[in-house]
Amino acid sequence: MKVLVPIKRVIDANVKVRVKADNTGVETANVKMAMNPFCEIAVEEAVRLKEAGTASEVIVVSAGAAQAQETLRTGLAMGADRGILIQCDSDPEPLAVAKLLKAVVEKEGPELVILGKQAVDNDNNQTGQMLAALLGWPQGTFISKVEKTDGSFAITREVDGGLEKLEIKAPAVVTTDLRLNEPRYASLPNIMKAKKKPIDTMTPADLGVDVSPRLTVVSVTEPPARKAGVKVASVAELVDKLRNEAKVI
Amino acid sequence: MSTLIVAEHDNAELKPATLNAVTAAGQLPGETHVLIAGSGCGAAAEAAAKVAGVDKVLKADDAAYDHHLAENLAPLVAKLAADYSHVIAAATTSGKNVMPRAAALLDVQQVSDISAIEGEDTFVRPIYAGNALATVKSSDAVKVLTIRATAFDAAPAEGGSAAVEAVESTGDTGLAAFKGQELTKSERPELTTAGIVISGGRGMQSGENFAMLERVADKLGAAVGASRAAVDAGYVPNDYQVGQTGKVVAPDLYVAVGISGAIQHLAGMKDSKVIVAINKDEEAPIFQVADYGLVADLFEAVPELEKELG
């Protein structure tokens, strides 16, 4: 089976983001970018399925600026076979991304699409569910396990109360949670090899998709900062402060 | 126009976050209706009818809606949405699973995890793990929203007397089947609604050591949580995780034990009223958000804390 893995280029999760002075967004100039951590887990899972002989081909796809090509190269270095860049002027909203991905799915015919459950920039947690809706496919969100069975996938989901097991029919969309796997680091030889792997470039117009935004960003501001607290010297002092100053116990 | 809340429940009772969604709906124009979709969900529908601020309850009782499979529930939500200006759910794992699927069926760009309502089309939401707040305006005809439960007070569970109206099922798509669940059993309060939370991190060193936190939790009537590092290490199950991609909590008191304070963890707890940090590393970033910091070895401090609490 073919596996499609949509991935996103985001500000590196270890970078502390700064809000722009004009409140139009966050500072992205000269900021380290990386593959969204949940997308790394998605690529890893697809590559493991290929290594296990379950998947025949792993295709990574990204919708975004031309630089998203670097993120695709990272996916190729991790073991994906080829990449697709859907070049956009700015990052499309999740609904638009889902429409673009639907068009790619219709061209490529994967049996499984694996996405990260959310991107750590906008924290939307929508694209996988929206893609599944548009395709009329089942969805396995926030998964910690996926196994191919005859004509379906057995999945385990991380939910608020614990774990939930579902059987979803193939073809399907799944989204990764943190415990699905631990993504590998690409080795130097694989990074070199990835440079020779093909990346197809297309535009939303090529796919016949309107990506006009539905939301207008009115402003982006800093959240209220917490006031610096005090250090206490002992457990007894801590309990006293909690009882008599903060009055929370 | 009115607001439809997609309620979370277990057929017998409402999940607490639904009450926070009722408060959010009260800030929007028109009536507040609650959808109870489930299997044998009469009791949950009756509970919803009693919530103060609810004007009508829609009950969709069908085996297809058991366990709230998104494949079956989203088409129902999308169908009912035609009569509403806003469709909202709490941003729980259930709401996060179902709502984007319904939004896509409606050709609507959902607004996720909102922390404030500025107007009927303008909402505030945290982005970048809460390091920025975005105010966005939606141009879609129907607004599909998930709400951050900790940002809205819970509506009183009693005081309402809404009518319950049965709605027709949209049926079983047959795309997905429930196969079982492993729910964490606990006598302690639920993490997202507890007044006091005590969380452990990598510094706990093992799952067994969490018993120390549990003893303190039981003295305080607190819930027990964890950082991602502690969950990844297998010390505690996934549903303990507090953070950007886990649970968001805002208790009166949050006690972070052996947690360094990565931004992803702070995202899930920094709206707590009082934060206490116990960590042996005085440079740990958790101290920058803590009201009371104790630089100490947790293996000495936690048993002492248990003793002090009597």
Side-chain angles (χ1 to χ4, degrees), chain B residues 126-147:
Chain B
I127 56 173
Y128 290 94
N131 284 301
L133 294 174
T135 303
V136 297
K137 192 174 158 138
S138 164
S139 62
D140 283 313
V142 180
K143 276 63 172 170
V144 177
L145 314 167
T146 60
I147 65 126

Side-chain angles (χ1 to χ4, degrees), chain A residues 10-19 25-26 28 37-38 41 93-96 98-99 117-142 156-171 177-179 181 213-224 226-243 245-249, chain B residues 8 67 69-71 91-94 96-113 122 125-140 173-185 190 196 220 228 231-232 238-239 241 244-247 252-253 255 263-264 269-276 278 282 287-295 300-302 304-306 308-310:
Chain A
V10 298
I11 293 180
D12 187 291
N14 298 311
V15 170
K16 171 118 173 62
V17 299
R18 279 177 303 123
V19 170
V26 302
T28 52
F38 287 96
I41 298 171
E93 290 171 351
L95 180 65
K99 289 176 181 176
K117 76 166 180 180
Q118 76 191 70
V120 297
D121 50 3
N122 288 319
D123 287 331
N124 277 310
N125 195 329
Q126 296 176 359
T127 307
Q129 297 88 313
M130 289 182 154
L131 174 63
L134 298 178
L135 290 166
W137 290 8
Q139 64 188 47
T141 52
F142 330 142
T156 304
R157 305 180 55 227
E158 294 197 356
V159 296
D160 285 338
L163 299 172
E164 181 183 74
K165 292 179 196 300
L166 299 179
E167 187 171 289
I168 57 175
K169 287 210 168 125
D177 216 317
L178 294 167
R179 262 65 62 175
N181 60 50
R214 306 290 184 82
L215 305 179
T216 317
V217 176
V218 179
S219 69
V220 174
T221 56
E222 295 263 5
R226 284 191 80 93
K227 270 189 293 175
V230 296
K231 290 259 169 63
V232 292
S234 67
V235 171
E237 187 188 348
L238 173 65
V239 171
D240 175 64
K241 296 257 190 208
L242 293 177
R243 276 200 180 120
E245 191 176 87
K247 297 187 177 21
V248 285
I249 58 171
Chain B
E8 195 175 343
H67 304 294
L69 297 176
E71 293 78 1
T92 57
T93 49
S94 175
K96 288 173 181 172
N97 184 42
V98 173
M99 296 300 271
R101 191 173 178 106
L105 295 176
L106 290 163
D107 194 32
V108 166
Q109 175 52 55
Q110 171 179 305
V111 186
S112 292
D113 205 17
T122 307
R125 57 183 305 267
I127 56 173
Y128 290 94
N131 284 301
L133 294 174
T135 303
V136 297
K137 192 174 158 138
S138 164
S139 62
D140 283 313
T173 57
L175 291 172
F178 177 82
K179 290 289 171 190
Q181 58 192 5
E182 291 164 24
L183 300 184
T184 305
K185 296 243 184 326
E190 210 264 314
I196 301 178
L220 292 168
R228 176 193 171 181
V231 178
D232 281 2
N238 61 282
D239 49 286
Q241 188 181 327
Q244 178 186 15
T245 70
K247 286 178 179 157
D252 293 334
L253 173 61
V255 185
I263 50 177
Q264 289 79 9
M269 46 63 84
K270 67 179 178 183
D271 291 330
S272 304
K273 212 148 98 198
V274 174
I275 296 174
V276 169
I278 300 175
E282 64 178 317
F287 287 119
Q288 291 163 20
V289 300
D291 299 282
Y292 301 108
L294 176 63
V295 180
E300 287 164 21
V302 175
E304 207 183 321
L305 178 60
E306 187 196 344
E308 280 286 331
L309 293 169

Side-chain angles (χ1 to χ4, degrees), chain A residues 9-64:
Chain A
R9 177 175 181 263
V10 298
I11 293 180
D12 187 291
N14 298 311
V15 170
K16 171 118 173 62
V17 299
R18 279 177 303 123
V19 170
K20 282 188 192 166
D22 63 2
N23 293 121
T24 55
V26 302
E27 203 58 72
T28 52
N30 301 316
V31 172
K32 189 179 173 221
M33 305 295 283
M35 191 191 299
N36 175 44
F38 287 96
C39 300
E40 291 184 324
I41 298 171
V43 174
E44 177 66 34
E45 194 64 18
V47 171
R48 287 188 191 187
L49 286 170
K50 189 174 175 197
E51 288 167 348
T54 312
S56 54
E57 188 183 27
V58 176
I59 307 160
V60 283
V61 53
S62 191

Side-chain angles (χ1 to χ4, degrees), chain A residues 36-108:
Chain A
N36 175 44
F38 287 96
C39 300
E40 291 184 324
I41 298 171
V43 174
E44 177 66 34
E45 194 64 18
V47 171
R48 287 188 191 187
L49 286 170
K50 189 174 175 197
E51 288 167 348
T54 312
S56 54
E57 188 183 27
V58 176
I59 307 160
V60 283
V61 53
S62 191
Q67 295 91 324
Q69 200 158 150
E70 295 161 19
T71 311
L72 290 170
R73 290 283 169 214
T74 307
L76 296 174
M78 287 174 73
D81 297 296
R82 62 188 169 92
I84 299 171
L85 171 67
I86 309 167
Q87 205 168 321
C88 306
D89 300 332
S90 57
D91 277 353
E93 290 171 351
L95 180 65
V97 175
K99 289 176 181 176
L100 293 167
L101 294 175
K102 177 178 184 252
V104 172
V105 166
E106 282 162 356
K107 275 171 73 149
E108 296 287 347

